[in-house]
């Protein structure tokens, strides 16, 4: 480990490959075509070091991945000490450093962070990092390591990992030896923790039929295979598909959670029959969706909304059976959640629902306000958070009946089974399998809880997306003026109609979401709102047409 040196930071700067490229750190960190990320990786190494120094030497994580994006893309994000996403106030520092084009401007940006955050540069810094299966990763890792070395970090390479595994490792390292120690900070520790919790959770129940898992030709495939060594076949039967991690161009190509969710169909290379159980991970295994084929040969999707409803139902029942119904259980959604799911949670399960802006950081923060907070985006990314008070209640409550004892035991197992740092496809799969095993439910039985309203997503290219301003968790526009009133008037004509628009975070486009009682009404509603956005919001290219 070398010492922190501004001169070394300046001398070793990695030049831009594309001079006019503008970088921005968002919810997913930095993400773009991999070819322009060399310079960013170097600076992320420096930023991670500064973040660790600011937090008294706590270990910071760096993950190189582009999740569900095509293979030619890549990205990088920082993980804070408890396995959470980088504190939002530091995102602007990341963006400023990334856009520094020479050694002097980079040093100026670093000095600004040191001064504004009152960082002691002599404080030791600790950083761990991992990466997914993308062919661009080895080269990008070298540039990250160069930045870590220039900034004097004590760094450790954990190699090939799923994104949730890196989040787990960061939290384990930083909580070691404390009262809320999270686990052993190794891949084996992760596998052991989840597998033992699952065995406890399903003990005494009949194993379900095999689950077919599409791993998106990503890192989830080798890691799931490693994990399954810890679970006997008679406890959980898994059949893995789309595991070609060395086949060029295969990652996320016509497979994976994003493909299934977006196209409302199984991957083309998968043979699915009525009665089969399927799920899909995304490229870095932090999203999961389930699906099945009904007896009429119709594809049925069980997305993040369905998973949230299943998890909330099960946890509420266990809380009641355990006699600890004083615990406040809630669900957090975004505007993209299907209206039927919100109705089911609020009116049938009687569970409070919060709606927040799109982005995991908003969901996670809101979920922390509940004793037990369930959050899932419709795309399949989500988890369950148990606050310290809830964990203590589950641990210390004395059971008065055998039924109460079983419920407390099940809740304790869930707190170990669920990766509370971030959405985790493997952990969330085990959560769903636990509940379905308890119920002895097929995917079709699970799907009967409620029926999704038909919905449609559309994209409208605009000259300037920044003119679109929203309020009420992105469900209403405040600008352009009068457009929201026009949308409201259109929506009012449709049975169970709902529509909202929001600017894209990555391109000059506006996303339109619509749902209504029938497919025909939904498509027409989406088309009319998209036309209104085009007409009032500076649409570019061809005017939207009826799908």
């Amino acid at each position: 480990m070398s010492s922190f040196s501004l001169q070394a930071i300046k001398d070793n700067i990695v030049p831009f490959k594309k001079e006019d490229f503008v970088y921005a750190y968002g919810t997913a960190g930095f993400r773009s075509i991999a070819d322009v990320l060399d310079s960013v990786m170097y600076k992320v190494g420096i930023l991670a070091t500064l973040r660790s120094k600011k937090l008294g030497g706590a270990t910071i994580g760096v993950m190189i991945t582009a999740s569900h994006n095509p293979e030619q893309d890549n990205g990088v994000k920082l993980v804070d000490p408890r396995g959470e996403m980088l504190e939002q106030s530091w995102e602007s520092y990341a963006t400023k450093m990334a856009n520094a084009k020479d050694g002097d401007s980079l040093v100026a940006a670093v000095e600004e962070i040191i001064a504004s955050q009152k960082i002691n540069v002599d404080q030791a810094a600790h950083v761990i990092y991992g990466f997914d299966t993308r062919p661009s990763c080895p080269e990008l890792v070298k540039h990250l390591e160069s930045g870590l070395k220039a900034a004097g970090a004590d760094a450790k390479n954990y190699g090939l990992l799923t994104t949730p595994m890196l989040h787990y490792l960061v939290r384990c390292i930083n909580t070691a030896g404390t009262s809320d120690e999270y686990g052993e900070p190794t891949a084996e520790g992760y596998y052991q923790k989840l597998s033992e919790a699952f065995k406890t959770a399903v003990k005494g129940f009949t194993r379900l039929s095999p689950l077919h898992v599409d791993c998106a030709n990503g890192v989830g495939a080798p890691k799931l295979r490693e994990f399954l060594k810890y679970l006997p076949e008679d406890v959980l039967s898994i059949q893995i598909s789309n595991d070609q991690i060395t086949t060029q161009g295969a990652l996320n190509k016509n497979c994976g959670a994003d493909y299934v969710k977006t196209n409302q169909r199984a991957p083309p290379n998968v043979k699915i029959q009525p009665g089969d159980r399927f799920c899909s991970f995304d490229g870095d295994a932090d999203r999961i969706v389930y699906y099945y084929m009904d007896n009429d040969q119709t594809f049925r999707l069980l997305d993040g909304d369905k998973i949230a409803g299943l998890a909330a139902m099960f946890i509420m029942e266990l809380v009641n059976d355990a006699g600890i119904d004083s615990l406040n259980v809630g669900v957090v959604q975004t505007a993209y959640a299907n209206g039927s799911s919100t109705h089911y949670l609020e009116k049938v399960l009687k569970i409070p629902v919060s709606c927040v802006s799109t982005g995991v950081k908003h969901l996670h923060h809101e979920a922390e306000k509940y004793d037990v907070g369930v959050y899932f985006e419709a795309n399949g990314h989500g988890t369950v958070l148990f606050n310290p008070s809830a964990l203590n209640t589950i641990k210390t409550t004395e059971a008065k009946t055998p039924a109460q004892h079983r419920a407390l035991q099940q809740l304790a197992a869930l707190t170990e089974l669920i990766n509370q740092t971030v959405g985790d496809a493997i952990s969330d799969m085990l959560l769903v399998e636990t509940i379905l095993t308890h119920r002895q439910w097929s995917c079709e039985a699970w799907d009967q809880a409620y029926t999704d309203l038909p919905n449609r997503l559309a994209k409208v290219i605009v000259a300037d997306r920044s003119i679109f301003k929203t309020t009420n968790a992105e469900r209403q526009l405040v600008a352009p003026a009068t457009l929201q009133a026009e949308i409201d008037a259109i929506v009012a004509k449709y049975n169970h109609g709902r529509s909202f628009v929001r600017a894209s975070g990555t391109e000059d486009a506006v996303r339109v979401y619509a749902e209504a009682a029938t497919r025909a009404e939904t498509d027409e509603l989406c088309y009319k709102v998209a036309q209104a956005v085009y007409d009032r919001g500076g649409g570019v290219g061809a005017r939207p047409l009826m799908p």
Side-chain angles (χ1 to χ4, degrees):
M1 182 177 71
S2 56
S3 59
F4 182 83
S5 167
L6 287 172
Q7 190 63 47
I9 287 171
K10 178 180 178 180
D11 293 346
N12 290 283
I13 189 169
V14 177
F16 274 38
K17 278 191 176 175
K18 191 175 177 184
E19 276 296 316
D20 59 347
F21 197 90
V22 178
Y23 300 95
Y25 193 103
T27 297
F30 293 112
R31 192 174 292 181
S32 68
I33 190 85
D35 292 347
V36 300
L37 288 174
D38 291 7
S39 62
V40 166
M41 293 296 164
Y42 175 73
K43 292 157 184 170
V44 164
I46 298 164
L47 184 69
T49 305
L50 291 172
R51 183 70 179 154
S52 176
K53 289 178 183 293
K54 165 65 179 176
L55 299 176
T59 296
I60 298 299
V62 178
M63 185 67 199
I64 299 176
T65 181
S67 190
H68 58 281
N69 281 36
E71 186 172 289
Q72 64 268 27
D73 290 354
N74 215 325
V76 62
K77 65 177 182 177
L78 275 71
V79 179
D80 262 357
R82 290 190 62 81
E84 73 274 48
M85 305 180 82
L86 176 67
E87 184 181 305
Q88 195 168 353
S89 64
W90 275 62
E91 292 179 3
S92 59
Y93 294 144
T95 299
K96 188 165 187 176
M97 283 180 64
N99 289 297
K101 293 189 176 179
D102 55 56
D104 288 331
S105 57
L106 176 57
V107 166
V110 169
E111 288 181 321
E112 180 189 329
I113 298 170
I114 292 169
S116 62
Q117 292 293 320
K118 300 181 173 59
I119 294 172
N120 173 14
V121 296
D122 294 324
Q123 166 71 54
H126 305 279
V127 179
I128 68 169
Y129 54 99
F131 47 87
D132 71 11
T133 57
R134 291 165 194 273
S136 57
C137 282
E139 185 66 22
L140 296 179
V141 166
K142 290 178 186 176
H143 294 298
L144 172 68
E145 290 172 338
S146 179
L148 291 166
K149 183 178 179 182
D154 175 13
K156 182 174 181 180
N157 181 357
Y158 274 83
L160 190 68
L161 292 173
T162 69
T163 294
M165 288 175 75
L166 183 85
H167 285 256
Y168 164 88
L169 291 167
V170 171
R171 182 153 173 177
C172 288
I173 291 168
N174 286 302
T175 58
T178 69
S179 59
D180 60 345
E181 190 165 352
Y182 198 61
E184 181 190 327
T186 62
E188 293 74 21
Y190 169 86
Y191 300 145
Q192 192 80 33
K193 179 177 181 177
L194 268 59
S195 61
E196 289 302 315
F198 183 72
K199 288 176 196 173
T200 299
V202 299
K203 187 176 180 181
F205 291 90
T206 302
R207 193 205 73 182
L208 298 177
S209 63
L211 176 67
H212 301 259
V213 183
D214 154 32
C215 289
N217 296 315
V219 66
K223 295 306 170 184
L224 180 57
R225 287 196 196 282
E226 289 176 14
F227 170 73
L228 290 175
K229 294 174 185 175
Y230 292 78
L231 274 181
E233 177 83 8
D234 63 352
V235 175
L236 180 66
S237 178
I238 297 287
Q239 295 183 10
I240 295 173
S241 63
N242 292 319
D243 57 353
Q244 304 302 305
I245 64 171
T246 58
T247 301
Q248 187 174 357
L251 179 65
N252 294 317
K253 180 72 172 177
N254 294 330
C255 60
D258 192 58
Y259 173 88
V260 172
K261 169 69 176 169
T262 303
N263 293 283
Q264 301 279 308
R265 59 164 293 177
N269 67 334
V270 161
K271 289 184 172 64
I272 181 169
Q273 299 295 330
D276 290 344
R277 305 188 318 114
F278 275 81
C279 70
S280 287
F281 295 177
D282 68 337
D284 66 337
D286 68 353
R287 294 185 185 185
I288 182 172
V289 295
Y290 272 70
Y291 45 98
Y292 69 99
M293 188 79 74
D294 69 16
N295 291 326
D296 295 326
Q297 298 290 319
T298 302
F299 174 85
R300 301 289 185 186
L301 178 69
L302 296 155
D303 62 6
D305 293 341
K306 290 281 188 176
I307 295 172
L310 186 73
M313 173 204 70
F314 188 62
I315 290 168
M316 276 294 286
E317 287 185 6
L318 288 179
V319 163
N320 290 328
D321 290 348
I324 50 174
D325 47 5
S326 59
L327 290 186
N328 180 20
V329 180
V331 176
V332 186
Q333 297 183 324
T334 70
Y336 287 107
N338 195 279
S340 289
S341 72
T342 309
H343 181 272
Y344 170 70
L345 290 163
E346 290 183 328
K347 306 301 182 187
V348 179
L349 297 183
K350 310 293 185 187
I351 294 175
V353 177
S354 305
C355 185
V356 297
S357 298
T358 306
V360 175
K361 60 190 173 190
H362 302 300
L363 289 141
H364 196 95
H365 179 69
E366 185 68 21
E368 289 176 326
K369 296 178 182 179
Y370 294 101
D371 294 327
V372 184
V374 180
Y375 77 81
F376 275 87
E377 293 182 287
N379 63 26
H381 185 283
T383 188
V384 182
L385 305 182
F386 295 82
N387 72 14
S389 173
L391 290 171
N392 187 60
T393 299
I394 293 166
K395 185 178 179 180
T396 60
T397 298
E398 292 186 15
K400 295 182 174 65
T401 67
Q404 189 180 5
H405 176 75
R406 280 195 302 274
L408 287 166
Q409 197 175 42
Q410 293 296 331
L411 279 169
L414 287 189
T415 66
E416 295 290 304
L417 180 70
I418 295 165
N419 185 347
Q420 296 180 53
T421 64
V422 72
D424 181 338
I426 294 176
S427 168
D428 291 338
M429 176 189 76
L430 295 174
L431 171 62
V432 171
E433 290 302 295
T434 294
I435 302 168
L436 297 183
T437 301
H438 273 243
R439 290 287 187 278
Q440 291 293 297
W441 275 359
S442 63
C443 288
E444 194 157 13
W446 167 17
D447 201 16
Q448 300 309 307
Y450 65 86
T451 302
D452 276 333
L453 288 168
N455 56 88
R456 173 75 67 185
L457 270 171
K459 181 171 74 172
V460 181
I461 306 300
V462 295
D464 180 11
R465 71 179 186 270
S466 69
I467 67 172
F468 289 83
K469 308 292 184 186
T470 63
T471 187
N472 189 19
E474 300 178 320
R475 290 176 289 190
Q476 291 179 296
L477 283 172
V478 292
T482 74
L483 180 53
Q484 184 59 52
E486 191 169 339
I487 293 171
D488 290 343
I490 296 169
V491 168
K493 298 174 183 176
Y494 296 89
N495 191 23
H496 296 300
R498 183 170 75 94
S499 182
F500 67 91
V501 303
R502 58 181 286 272
S504 165
T506 56
E507 57 184 327
D508 270 324
V510 172
R511 314 257 182 223
V512 177
Y513 176 89
E515 63 185 32
T518 66
R519 169 55 61 196
E521 286 182 292
T522 299
D523 289 346
E524 186 177 289
L525 171 58
C526 190
Y527 151 73
K528 289 191 173 179
V529 171
Q531 285 196 330
V533 168
Y534 181 93
D535 294 342
R536 307 286 177 265
V540 173
R543 193 166 183 257
L545 297 174
M546 182 76 173

